[in-house]
Amino acid sequence: MEEPLARAKHVRYFKRCLALLPPQVQELDTSRMTLAFFALSGLDLLGALGEVEHMKTDIIDWIYAQQILPDKDNPDMNLRCCGFRGGSFGGVPFNASESPKAFPYDRSHVAMTYSALTCLLILGDDLSRVNRRAVIEGLKSLQNEDGSFSFATDGEESDMRFVFCACCVCYILKDWSGVDKEKIKGYIRRSKGYDHGFGQGPYLESHGGSTFCAVASLVLMGQLENTFTLEEQEKIREWCLRRQQTGFNGRPNKDVDTCYSFWVGATLELLGCKDYINWTYVREFVMSTEGSVTGGFGKSPDAHPDPMHSYLGLCGLSIGGEADLIPLFSALNISKRTKEWLTKIHEQRLM
């Protein structure tokens, strides 16, 4: 008999993540928006958003306060820096609606922009306060000549993670004018390894996370079939299927890890072959990492639960058809309930 999901404990775990986190994760303060996404989307998958209904307006206002808007006196001065920051760590005055004076060194982060937009959708916001033009202009400044995206203006890192985030932002806003799709496709093609997985960039080791980011980006752009032949897609599927041991690992000869139940499981779903996964083994592994006291999931049975693995563990279970969870829209990594709300927003903007 299958061990039931400890739903109530997981709900309490994600509520705690929204309210209080231990000192060990204070280094993630600049990424608070992503932590909020893990918690809110986790509650969404659990069908428990009602637990934070009393906080919804405050959370939405906090998210909008992290939006970097064009300078009120000279809008073009900081347009390339616009989007969302990860938190209020920069000392900028709290302001959820008005265009402020631009602050030096205040730059958006493309992953935080993705997290902010998805959090707003999860909470039922209609994105009416998002400065769409500014966000798209900010994206334009992040794409590099090779097709990759940097995480921020003048940022040093650029890889497949940020390509995925940029594609998500464009899909959510239904505006692809801020990216060059052909350059993205070229970057993704060059990042496919000899083993048919994808690295974070050209000539880098194939990895389950970057393989998801590559495939999901193409799906969101509607360019998967135009970029890889059916034979090439079949080889990508084979690389992903070989990642299953009991759960999934992210690279050959590595230990299995809870998060890859999403990264690899979602990739196989997007490629149309999730039925080839042994979901009984995946579930047994993910459940072995469940925090019996605190709720949440760790990366392995001997690891403490953390927000990322707790959320991605639920995502993997959702893809596998877990009865107590809302189905996942894998390409955006949000629930299908939230995706339906996004579709309504898109339809209303066309009226």
Side-chain angles (χ1 to χ4, degrees):
M1 184 176 178
E2 283 190 343
E3 179 184 0
L5 186 71
R7 181 182 179 278
K9 291 181 180 178
H10 295 306
V11 170
R12 289 196 294 271
Y13 177 85
F14 286 121
K15 286 175 67 179
R16 284 197 302 275
C17 289
L18 278 177
L20 182 68
L21 286 169
Q24 293 91 325
V25 297
Q26 65 182 358
E27 64 188 25
L28 299 177
D29 192 50
T30 57
S31 302
R32 191 178 295 185
M33 193 69 73
T34 296
L35 296 178
F37 166 72
F38 292 148
L40 290 170
S41 201
L43 290 170
D44 189 12
L45 290 179
L46 289 161
L49 282 176
E51 296 282 337
V52 295
E53 182 67 27
H54 64 290
M55 303 166 58
K56 187 169 77 170
T57 299
D58 289 339
I59 297 173
I60 289 173
D61 283 345
W62 176 80
I63 293 170
Y64 275 117
Q66 309 318 316
Q67 184 175 199
I68 299 175
L69 295 165
D71 183 85
K72 62 181 179 181
D73 298 320
N74 183 7
D76 293 331
M77 182 175 71
N78 68 325
L79 202 55
R80 62 195 299 267
C81 300
C82 290
F84 286 80
R85 65 176 81 83
S88 52
F89 56 88
V92 178
F94 188 92
N95 190 320
S97 58
E98 298 178 4
S99 294
K101 185 73 177 172
F103 286 82
Y105 314 116
D106 193 19
R107 294 177 173 85
S108 66
H109 188 300
V110 67
M112 302 305 126
T113 300
Y114 158 67
S115 297
L117 293 176
T118 49
C119 284
L120 290 170
L121 291 170
I122 290 165
L123 293 169
D125 185 78
D126 63 2
L127 308 183
S128 59
R129 284 190 276 169
V130 174
N131 189 320
R132 295 167 179 264
R133 173 178 173 263
V135 171
I136 294 300
E137 288 298 322
L139 275 186
K140 285 182 181 179
S141 72
L142 301 181
Q143 188 166 19
N144 302 305
E145 279 300 314
D146 65 357
S148 68
F149 282 79
S150 298
F151 68 88
T153 307
D154 302 324
E156 294 182 0
E157 284 186 289
S158 59
D159 55 49
M160 199 68 72
R161 296 171 297 173
F162 309 129
V163 170
F164 168 68
C165 291
C167 288
C168 287
V169 170
C170 292
Y171 185 93
I172 290 170
L173 298 181
K174 206 169 185 181
D175 185 343
W176 292 90
S177 64
V179 303
D180 186 322
K181 286 186 179 182
E182 290 303 315
K183 286 185 177 180
I184 292 175
K185 288 166 58 178
Y187 183 78
I188 291 173
R189 279 205 64 88
R190 294 192 301 276
S191 298
K192 189 162 79 75
Y194 71 92
D195 56 359
H196 307 290
F198 294 83
Q200 292 287 15
Y203 311 113
L204 298 179
E205 182 181 13
S206 296
H207 186 277
S210 47
T211 296
F212 166 78
C213 290
V215 172
S217 296
L218 292 173
V219 169
L220 291 171
M221 290 191 295
Q223 296 294 320
L224 178 62
E225 286 74 19
N226 294 337
T227 306
F228 294 109
T229 66
L230 293 177
E231 182 180 357
E232 289 173 317
Q233 291 178 49
E234 186 60 31
K235 290 178 179 178
I236 298 168
R237 292 187 187 99
E238 183 177 354
W239 184 89
C240 291
L241 287 168
R242 290 181 182 276
R243 303 282 63 75
Q244 181 164 21
Q245 313 303 309
T246 50
F248 288 100
N249 62 21
R251 293 174 288 168
N253 301 315
K254 295 294 183 179
D255 293 335
V256 292
D257 184 319
T258 300
C259 67
Y260 295 110
S261 62
F262 168 73
W263 296 124
V264 181
T267 305
L268 287 167
E269 181 182 45
L270 294 174
L271 291 170
C273 60
K274 77 169 188 175
D275 292 341
Y276 289 97
I277 299 170
N278 188 319
W279 287 107
T280 299
Y281 285 169
V282 173
R283 189 183 192 279
E284 286 177 356
F285 173 75
V286 173
M287 293 299 293
S288 74
T289 73
E290 188 177 44
S292 59
V293 176
T294 61
F297 297 96
K299 66 179 293 184
S300 60
D302 58 350
H304 292 294
D306 65 80
M308 185 189 79
H309 286 90
S310 296
Y311 173 61
L312 294 182
L314 283 184
C315 290
L317 293 176
S318 177
I319 295 169
E322 186 73 21
D324 292 334
L325 298 175
I326 291 177
L328 189 76
F329 180 70
S330 295
L332 278 179
N333 192 13
I334 56 176
S335 73
K336 288 187 176 179
R337 182 202 67 84
T338 297
K339 171 57 170 61
E340 289 171 3
W341 172 235
L342 174 61
T343 300
K344 289 182 180 178
I345 292 174
H346 287 168
E347 291 171 349
Q348 289 167 2
R349 285 183 60 82
L350 292 174
M351 292 179 181

